Amino acid sequence: MYSINLKIIFYYILFLYLTVTFVNASDVDQNYEIENVISAQLEAFKAKDIYQAYSFASPHIKRRYPSPEIFDKMVRASFNDIWDSKQYLFKNMNQIDDVTYQEVLVFSQSDVATDYLYSLSKYNGKWLITGVSPYKRRDLDI
């Protein structure tokens, strides 16, 4: 009887280990996919490929800006440092329901750093950008 309990405990521990490993692996895959989408759009803007940059916009964004040219004008006017970024750094990521939020520190050509909060959702199995806004993290003193 003692050996059966050890065997059950061993299998339970193995099951927990594998469950945690697979959950963490799926989180890593999702983080990688999200960072790739944002990176691809930022690189498309750098290359001045507005059609490629537009391809990462969600249907909601595309309804609001119905052509790559209109989208490009909006980005240049409102997010010039994103449109012509020098470099960028991924920070915190958080998921709430079916929306993932990614903080990105963007450096302009003149080395001004701005934090942006990207929101992304899946459409037909593909992550697309649903919004971008300047972001100031508030540190709470507790």
Side-chain angles (χ1 to χ4, degrees):
M1 180 133 183
Y2 181 71
S3 64
I4 293 174
N5 287 338
L6 286 177
K7 194 182 279 189
I8 291 171
I9 291 171
F10 170 76
Y11 284 119
Y12 180 73
I13 291 171
L14 180 63
F15 171 76
L16 287 176
Y17 171 77
L18 292 174
T19 301
V20 169
T21 301
F22 287 126
V23 167
N24 287 339
S26 96
D27 287 347
V28 169
D29 289 345
Q30 177 177 309
N31 293 1
Y32 180 75
E33 288 175 22
I34 299 244
E35 289 178 4
N36 276 346
V37 167
I38 296 169
S39 292
Q41 188 181 60
L42 288 168
E43 294 301 322
F45 282 130
K46 271 197 228 184
K48 311 306 180 239
D49 185 348
I50 61 173
Y51 298 97
Q52 182 66 17
Y54 189 67
S55 74
F56 299 105
S58 70
H60 170 74
I61 299 290
K62 288 180 177 177
R63 279 190 298 278
R64 192 165 184 190
Y65 306 99
S67 74
E69 293 79 13
I70 294 170
F71 178 70
D72 180 57
K73 285 180 186 177
M74 179 278 297
V75 174
R76 285 183 196 224
S78 302
F79 303 101
N80 192 52
D81 51 346
I82 287 176
W83 186 82
D84 193 28
S85 66
K86 186 174 191 177
Q87 71 182 78
Y88 49 91
L89 174 70
F90 293 104
K91 296 170 75 177
N92 299 316
M93 182 182 291
N94 192 14
Q95 184 156 355
I96 301 173
D97 297 326
D98 61 344
V99 179
T100 298
Y101 299 92
Q102 173 69 59
E103 293 177 45
V104 182
L105 182 61
V106 175
F107 295 88
S108 70
Q109 290 297 326
S110 58
D111 290 322
V112 174
T114 305
D115 278 307
Y116 285 96
L117 185 63
Y118 278 74
S119 59
L120 295 92
S121 292
K122 270 196 173 179
Y123 293 86
N124 298 322
K126 180 179 175 184
W127 287 102
L128 295 174
I129 298 169
T130 58
V132 178
S133 60
Y135 178 72
K136 293 211 184 278
R137 183 177 198 97
R138 294 188 182 129
D139 293 323
L140 300 176
D141 295 327
I142 297 177

